[in-house]
Amino acid sequence: MVRRIPRRTFLTAAGAIATATAVGDISYATPAAAEDASEYVDVQLLNITDLHGYLQPTTPSQGSVITGAGGAKVTVGGVGYMATHLKRLREGKKNSIFFSSGDNFSGWPFEVDAHANEPTIEALNAMGLDFSTVGNHELDQSVSFLVDHMMNGEPYPVSGRDDNFVDSTGQRFQGANFKFYTANMVWADSGKTILPPYNIEWVDAGNGRKLPIAFIHLTLVGTEVGSTSYQPKLRSLSDLDQANKLAAELKARGVNAIVINIHDGGVAGNDYNAGSNPSGPVFQLAAKASPDIAAIVTGHWHCRFNMMVPDPSGVPRPVVEAGNHGSLINEINLKLDPDTGAVIRELTTSTNHANTRDVPLDEELQDIADYWTAQGAKRWATPLARTTADFTRVPNANGESTMGNLAADFAYWDAQQSREGRADLALIATKPVSGSVALTGDLLYGKGSNAADEDGTILFGEAWGAFGYGNPVLTVTMPGTMVHAALEAQWVEQADGTVKFAPFAVSRNVFYSFDTSKPVGERVDPAGVHISGQPLDLHRAYRVAALAYTLIGGDGYKVFQGYTDPVRNDRDHEGFIAYLRAHRTITPAPLNRARPVR
């Protein structure tokens, strides 16, 4: 039944392809041998990860073509096909558990994102998802949004406008039929986990007996300071420490089958059902995580691999990642001792199944996807506000643009909506040093590409597509010297001796002068910077509103290290929509906030 594999090899969980990267005696069972072991209790684990709301079949740019054995290309994606594959995989399996490794929502399809990610929950409910780890993007809004709205279905904040939409069955959003878990995302003030750290599922062992299998859930370390998921009230604990502590706790409780479900993976080659040259956090975790853990299922990296990796005792266990955007379904088959519930490790098998499009569509799931696509088109075309003239990203010679100024005014306004978040000024990077740009479209008065109607009507979809990349507006405290340094950081010396201009838009209560005849770093005289009618004071603290991506250095500015007291305001997309609802008619402001010295 069992054969030995030479030392100093890894073994892929399906196909027995070796890669020369690991140390340890590795034994494994062929699928046929595992099937012959009928005296044990069979448990099927089915996993997806990083769906990100991609309900419809994806395009090549969204990862619809993946690579299999021998470089063969396969076209994948779409929950209509996934539901069919899931039904086929579950057929005849009395102990089948279907779960996710996180980032189910907070995706990029407009019809999902603009409907508060509720379409993804409806689809996962229909597919029978049992539970999920909290991914970093599950925290793109707030813990309250995840728990109260996404899990429990409470309106948050305005039913039918901002969320709590009517789903494909004609019902208002009711929340998820499954639970989220995390063992290492905790409240900074209390140290308590924001959700339970693990769950225990009970499987049928025959003759009226049940056996426990536990899932320890781990979220990407650092989620609380990520650009989209920035959550000042949270902190993250070590994933390894939590995994080992909880494995020991579960073992002491008599649970002898334990799985890690972690939203942090790695990379291991191109073959979606194999693995080579593994690297990344999950492989570091796998090398040290308790031998009592029988499998490690991962996500976050949007990679595809399926490997058997030795635990600290040298016994192999699956370490897998099932891609992203609905490309794969991972299947791990465990054999449990009917008396102790322990996993018979040498009989474990694992396979990454491609979510191919050569099967019939599941009508229920495809109807859900199609319904939300149609709802997305209606929402995109909904009138929202009106402009009296064009807002464009085209800058003048001083780096100002009407769209940039509008974005800065929005951020300043957004920060004023709560007492805790109030700001003295706002900064928005309009042509950053590097990275992504928050200004993603124009708002035009007349007809044209991405334009408003002839009467200046701004449609919901036009506004959504004009500003933002899923980042929260933060209000932080910084000294006047840092505000000055930010304005100086708009000119960046390049390796070839040239100077790159990377301007900030400033809010309507700010203006400053600059002199490009002076050296980089000396172009903005602090005396020429005015905030709400007062000169910049280098010795006082200011509350500054900006996107998290900018403040953590995502777009290349290196001057913001050391800010304090961060407060999270709205996310850019939803906040900008709220701004336009509050300002039904907008007019471009004069481009006079940045003033060159003549």
Side-chain angles (χ1 to χ4, degrees):
M1 180 191 301
V2 177
R3 67 169 183 166
R4 308 301 291 178
I5 304 300
R7 294 179 64 84
R8 301 195 62 79
T9 61
F10 266 82
L11 180 69
T12 59
I17 303 171
T19 64
T21 49
V23 178
D25 265 347
I26 299 178
S27 61
Y28 84 111
T30 65
E35 288 295 326
D36 289 341
S38 58
E39 68 271 28
Y40 299 115
V41 177
D42 292 313
V43 178
Q44 179 193 56
L45 309 181
L46 298 175
N47 167 264
I48 59 173
T49 189
D50 293 88
L51 180 61
H52 284 293
Y54 280 90
L55 307 186
Q56 293 287 6
T58 48
T59 64
S61 65
Q62 297 163 343
S64 65
V65 179
I66 62 175
T67 303
K73 303 295 183 183
V74 184
T75 300
V76 294
V79 294
Y81 297 109
M82 178 180 285
T84 298
H85 285 291
L86 282 169
K87 287 177 180 177
R88 292 182 176 185
L89 288 169
R90 288 165 163 162
E91 188 174 357
K93 306 282 188 178
K94 68 177 180 180
N95 292 322
S96 182
I97 301 171
F98 174 39
F99 61 100
S100 167
S101 296
D103 278 10
N104 303 285
F105 49 80
S106 287
W108 297 278
F110 171 80
E111 66 272 18
V112 172
D113 209 11
H115 283 102
N117 297 292
E118 294 172 10
T120 305
I121 297 297
E122 184 183 0
L124 293 174
N125 283 346
M127 286 192 288
L129 193 75
D130 291 306
F131 52 85
S132 176
T133 287
V134 174
N136 56 296
H137 282 291
E138 261 84 24
L139 292 171
D140 278 358
Q141 297 281 8
S142 66
V143 176
S144 178
F145 182 83
L146 173 62
V147 176
D148 298 331
H149 181 62
M150 301 308 279
M151 285 177 58
N152 298 329
E154 296 178 15
Y156 189 97
V158 180
S159 178
R161 188 195 75 178
D162 302 305
D163 56 24
N164 206 34
F165 300 102
V166 174
D167 67 17
S168 69
T169 69
Q171 302 297 311
R172 290 284 180 188
F173 181 67
Q174 298 295 308
N177 295 339
F178 54 91
K179 301 296 184 183
F180 289 87
Y181 300 87
T182 178
N184 65 324
M185 292 305 304
V186 301
W187 295 106
D189 57 357
S190 68
K192 295 181 179 179
T193 56
I194 62 173
L195 285 162
Y198 60 78
N199 62 302
I200 298 174
E201 303 293 317
W202 293 85
V203 298
D204 187 352
N207 299 319
R209 297 179 62 248
K210 292 187 178 296
L211 295 172
I213 177 169
F215 296 82
I216 298 170
H217 298 272
L218 299 164
T219 303
L220 173 72
V221 172
T223 285
E224 74 281 8
V225 292
S227 66
T228 61
S229 56
Y230 201 108
Q231 298 289 346
K233 295 181 180 180
L234 304 184
R235 64 185 176 92
S236 49
L237 305 178
S238 162
D239 48 18
L240 178 62
D241 290 349
Q242 289 299 97
N244 286 342
K245 182 185 80 171
L246 293 172
E249 177 183 318
L250 288 160
K251 187 78 171 178
R253 291 180 56 185
V255 180
N256 294 318
I258 303 171
V259 174
I260 285 179
N261 187 25
I262 178 172
H263 191 74
D264 196 8
V267 60
N270 294 321
D271 185 341
Y272 69 79
N273 199 30
S276 60
N277 301 317
S279 64
V282 74
F283 294 104
Q284 299 171 24
L285 175 75
K288 298 180 180 180
S290 168
D292 292 328
I293 295 163
I296 301 175
V297 182
T298 78
H300 180 63
W301 281 50
H302 293 197
C303 290
R304 297 170 287 275
F305 54 82
N306 181 32
M307 302 185 70
M308 285 285 185
V309 178
D311 68 18
S313 298
V315 180
R317 58 188 170 192
V319 178
V320 301
E321 185 167 349
N324 63 308
H325 301 176
S327 59
L328 297 173
I329 303 167
N330 173 258
E331 178 188 22
I332 295 173
N333 286 294
L334 303 177
K335 298 282 187 177
L336 305 188
D337 184 292
D339 297 319
T340 67
V343 177
I344 309 303
R345 296 274 289 275
E346 63 268 25
L347 295 179
T348 298
T349 63
S350 177
T351 306
N352 272 345
H353 299 279
N355 180 26
T356 58
R357 302 178 189 177
D358 57 356
V359 298
L361 283 165
D362 181 274
E363 291 186 6
E364 179 186 8
L365 266 297
Q366 193 57 45
D367 284 349
I368 291 172
D370 291 344
Y371 169 83
W372 286 111
T373 297
Q375 290 300 107
K378 292 178 182 177
R379 191 153 174 80
W380 198 99
T382 302
L384 184 65
R386 181 177 178 275
T387 178
T388 62
D390 291 348
F391 283 86
T392 76
R393 293 162 289 173
V394 179
N396 65 8
N398 305 324
E400 275 193 85
S401 67
T402 51
M403 195 66 207
N405 284 354
L406 177 63
D409 289 346
F410 148 68
Y412 181 67
W413 173 86
D414 190 61
Q416 313 311 317
Q417 300 312 298
S418 71
R419 182 175 180 180
E420 189 179 23
R422 287 178 183 170
D424 297 305
L425 71 152
L427 299 170
I428 294 291
T430 56
K431 285 196 172 182
V433 178
S434 59
S436 300
V437 182
L439 301 183
T440 50
D442 301 325
L443 295 176
L444 305 179
Y445 181 86
K447 291 292 186 183
S449 177
N450 195 34
D453 293 339
E454 290 290 358
D455 64 355
T457 300
I458 301 171
L459 303 180
F460 186 103
E462 293 166 346
W464 192 274
F467 174 71
Y469 37 39
N471 253 236
V473 176
L474 301 182
T475 303
V476 301
T477 297
M478 62 178 68
T481 52
M482 190 180 291
V483 175
H484 176 241
L487 295 176
E488 291 283 12
Q490 297 176 106
W491 295 273
V492 184
E493 290 185 314
Q494 304 297 291
D496 62 2
T498 61
V499 175
K500 180 175 181 176
F501 187 33
F504 283 112
V506 297
S507 50
R508 58 180 170 80
N509 64 321
V510 178
F511 72 85
Y512 66 94
S513 57
F514 63 93
D515 187 349
T516 55
S517 70
K518 293 185 176 182
V520 170
E522 302 176 16
R523 295 184 169 185
V524 179
D525 183 350
V529 181
H530 288 75
I531 302 170
S532 296
Q534 299 297 315
L536 174 67
D537 184 347
L538 298 179
H539 302 291
R540 65 157 282 192
Y542 289 88
R543 294 290 281 167
V544 179
L547 292 175
Y549 188 71
T550 296
L551 292 168
I552 68 174
D555 46 16
Y557 298 99
K558 301 178 181 179
V559 297
F560 295 113
Q561 293 90 342
Y563 64 81
T564 60
D565 305 314
V567 171
R568 180 180 170 125
N569 304 301
D570 284 324
R571 201 174 73 132
D572 48 22
H573 286 306
E574 290 85 356
F576 190 53
I577 296 295
Y579 176 83
L580 292 175
R581 284 196 176 112
H583 301 80
R584 291 292 185 175
T585 300
I586 56 175
T587 298
L591 300 182
N592 59 5
R593 301 177 188 182
R595 306 172 181 181
V597 175
R598 301 301 180 188

